[in-house]
Amino acid sequence: LVEWLVAVLPRHPGLYAAIKRQLLNLAGAKIGHNVHIYPGVRIFVPKGLTVGNNVSISSYVVITTAGTVSIGNNVLVGYGSQILSANHHIPENRGIIFGSGHDCKPVVIEDGVWIGANVTVLPGVRVGKGAVVAAGAVVTKDVAPFAIVGGVPAAVIRVRE
């Protein structure tokens, strides 16, 4: 069975996405209908993930869900992006970072958002309805609905009318 899966799945991304969607639901995630999760996507830990309907998560995306991640309907997530809901805690004064724990904050990506390739969305961020995040951006703060943002850190380029 494993050999068959390894041989067949790369040639059938729809079958791969369906199997991954079912496995994620079994692991505690809440995955909607018509969700395409392409090969190479890494999700740590599925239990904190909610994904709406008609969503495409491209290859090599990383999602960490310790602080929870909610992705709305009709969302595109580009290749190599990272959606991070946890980060290492920086201790007071000159304390040792290793072993100091994590800061976990929810990430919310609302309906109709397009996240370009190689975007990083940091913990505690809300990306508003219909927003576009340009390729390579690092999103450190909330993005207003229908805004187009880009850069490091992400800043508003214009608003969709």
Side-chain angles (χ1 to χ4, degrees):
L1 178 63
V2 172
E3 291 174 4
W4 180 83
L5 288 172
V6 169
V8 170
L9 289 181
R11 292 180 294 193
H12 299 282
L15 178 60
Y16 176 89
I19 291 170
K20 189 147 191 173
R21 187 171 56 249
Q22 290 297 344
L23 290 173
L24 286 168
N25 279 323
L26 287 172
K30 295 175 184 141
I31 309 295
H33 300 289
N34 195 35
V35 173
H36 296 279
I37 300 172
Y38 288 89
V41 172
R42 305 291 305 266
I43 299 169
F44 307 93
V45 171
K47 187 171 143 182
L49 178 64
T50 302
V51 178
N53 300 318
N54 305 314
V55 173
S56 178
I57 301 174
S58 299
S59 295
Y60 311 112
V61 168
V62 173
I63 302 173
T64 65
T65 65
T68 71
V69 171
S70 176
I71 298 173
N73 299 311
N74 305 307
V75 172
L76 300 171
V77 180
Y79 294 96
S81 291
Q82 300 178 69
I83 302 170
L84 310 172
S85 67
N87 205 348
H88 290 283
H89 176 74
I90 300 175
E92 296 296 320
N93 302 318
R94 294 187 180 186
I96 297 171
I97 294 173
F98 187 87
S100 66
H102 294 88
D103 295 324
C104 302
K105 297 178 184 172
V107 172
V108 177
I109 298 170
E110 295 182 357
D111 295 346
V113 169
W114 174 21
I115 295 177
N118 297 309
V119 166
T120 300
V121 178
L122 294 178
V125 167
R126 175 180 290 270
V127 180
K129 179 179 181 177
V132 176
V133 182
V138 176
V139 184
T140 60
K141 296 179 181 171
D142 290 355
V143 176
F146 299 99
I148 300 173
V149 301
V152 180
V156 176
I157 297 169
R158 69 179 176 91
V159 176
R160 295 174 57 199
E161 298 297 330

